[in-house]
Amino acid sequence: MEQALRALRRGAARLAPAARLGAGGHGPTRDRRPPWPCRLVGGGQGPSPGAQLPAAALRGVAEAGGDACGSPRTRAGPDPQSRPGSKACERGPRGAAAAGQGGRGWLGSDFPKPRRRLEGKPLPIERTRGSEILFGIAPCALALSQSRRDPFRLFLKESAGSQRLVMSEFVLQASARGVPVHRVGRRELDALCRGRVHQGVCLEATPLRFKSLEEAEKPDLGDEESPNRQLVWLVLEQIQDPMNLGALLRSAYFLGVDRVVTSQRNSCPLTPTVSKASSGAMEVFDVYSTDDLRSFLKAKAAEGWEVVGTVSKPEEVENVPVISCLEFRWNKPTIIVIGNEGDGLSLETQLLCHRMLAIPPGRALHPGIESLNVSVATGILLHSICSQKLRQ
């Protein structure tokens, strides 16, 4: 018995400094209560050697067959909690965490395992063959209002909350086109669009494809004084990032570009991500493609169009004049050619340009950040050129 009491005193002595730190005191704390919530288990007067030890720690000692310091306890030793007249503290690990205490010798089984949120897997939703899932309010609303896609099903979040009015408008749009509406949970919407930002709306519909240049109406350029002479087309060479392509389409639509043409090879297709990045502009703006970009540029130059390339580093361009976008004067139909995100325009395409445009920086640039994102640079160039039409 005396051996067990000495072991418990040693364990209490090791826990005493932590109790002083948790209580915020600096003096002796032998007769003070521990900083965690306690209740008396046994009656009696005066502190006992186990009064400062948590019940969970004592249980760990009992299960491990030793004291709080790791010393073995004899089988015949008394249980400190069964001593008459002793006090014992019972507290959960949450109280210990709140008081900043670390119980030495505690077993992992003394701590309750964190509760996991009981959520079932989202119900699988079978897709219509050959369909894709649009997501987001603007792309889905514009796709329903246009006749460029065949919609199959509209999925709306069950509890719309502050978006009840928006969801009601979707129901009206879908009803007008005979599209079934399904109310599903957030997890089902997340699974449909693979975790992207859906804003509580997904639409199953047929994909959009690039239009062929053969399908496009040939513009009437008129004579030299005709206002149709101020046409601007945006040509994209191997834009691969769907977010960049969506941002380019949004800027082109907003600033008044007459047509967007992209190269088929090594270019991003018209995906739901592109539609979301364009804020739905892809749903109302025709995008054309060509499998022979260089022949297309040569043919347009022969028809009297000015082909203008873009460059971020003017010193790297040879055999083609480079001017600032602020100096460019728009007096004939113009094609602006934008290059790949990483490499820019290919050398063959540069040689087909009459001039190259550059954006002058506003300061001396640090090496490594001398260029702009392709969609940002295109927005600046388009605004610089298209604003000339507004002024006239």
Side-chain angles (χ1 to χ4, degrees), residues 55 73 91 146 200 217 264 341 388:
R73 179 168 58 86
R91 68 165 175 93
Q146 305 297 311
E217 296 180 2
Q264 284 186 359
E341 293 98 337
Q388 298 180 28

Side-chain angles (χ1 to χ4, degrees), residues 53-311:
L53 285 177
L58 294 178
R59 287 197 302 272
V61 171
E63 292 174 5
D67 59 14
C69 300
S71 303
R73 179 168 58 86
T74 60
R75 293 183 180 178
D79 186 358
Q81 288 188 340
S82 64
R83 287 173 52 86
S86 66
K87 296 178 181 177
C89 247
E90 285 190 353
R91 68 165 175 93
R94 292 184 180 178
Q101 306 298 323
R104 296 194 180 188
W106 288 33
L107 298 180
S109 59
D110 292 325
F111 294 92
K113 295 182 179 180
R115 296 181 181 177
R116 292 185 178 178
R117 192 175 180 182
L118 299 178
E119 290 187 356
K121 293 183 178 179
L123 297 176
I125 299 176
E126 293 186 4
R127 293 255 304 272
T128 305
R129 186 174 182 180
S131 68
E132 65 181 14
I133 299 296
L134 281 175
F135 54 92
I137 292 176
C140 294
L142 290 169
L144 281 173
S145 66
Q146 305 297 311
S147 300
R148 304 176 66 197
R149 296 178 183 262
D150 293 328
F152 298 121
R153 288 178 293 178
L154 178 66
F155 299 94
L156 301 178
K157 189 178 178 182
E158 288 174 336
S159 56
S162 60
Q163 295 181 328
R164 291 178 183 174
L165 182 59
V166 176
M167 298 304 169
S168 299
E169 293 176 356
F170 269 108
V171 173
L172 292 176
Q173 276 188 305
S175 301
R177 296 199 60 180
V179 180
V181 179
H182 300 268
R183 297 279 184 174
V184 297
R186 178 184 57 83
R187 290 174 295 149
E188 282 73 24
L189 290 174
D190 291 342
L192 279 172
C193 65
R194 299 181 180 179
R196 298 180 177 92
V197 182
H198 50 70
Q199 298 173 295
V201 185
C202 286
L203 177 67
E204 183 185 26
T206 54
L208 278 183
R209 308 295 183 191
F210 291 114
K211 287 196 169 186
S212 172
L213 284 174
E214 286 73 19
E215 305 174 25
E217 296 180 2
K218 190 173 181 180
D220 180 17
L221 300 183
D223 54 26
E224 293 293 334
E225 302 299 328
S226 173
N228 290 339
R229 301 290 294 180
Q230 275 198 323
L231 291 175
V232 58
W233 287 10
L234 181 66
V235 173
L236 309 176
E237 183 183 36
Q238 299 185 4
I239 298 295
Q240 299 175 348
D241 190 300
M243 301 298 289
N244 281 334
L245 179 56
L248 286 165
L249 294 178
R250 185 175 185 178
S251 297
Y253 178 78
F254 181 85
L255 294 171
V257 171
D258 298 287
R259 187 169 298 176
V260 175
V261 181
T262 181
S263 59
Q264 284 186 359
R265 188 176 302 173
N266 297 329
S267 294
C268 175
L270 298 178
T271 64
T273 301
V274 176
S275 184
K276 182 68 168 65
S278 72
S279 193
M282 190 185 91
E283 304 299 323
V284 298
F285 196 33
D286 289 332
V287 184
Y288 297 84
S289 70
T290 176
D291 56 356
D292 192 349
L293 185 61
R294 295 180 182 89
S295 296
F296 166 73
L297 294 177
K298 289 179 182 178
K300 287 299 172 186
E303 293 175 8
W305 290 65
E306 182 170 11
V307 180
V308 178
T310 54
V311 63

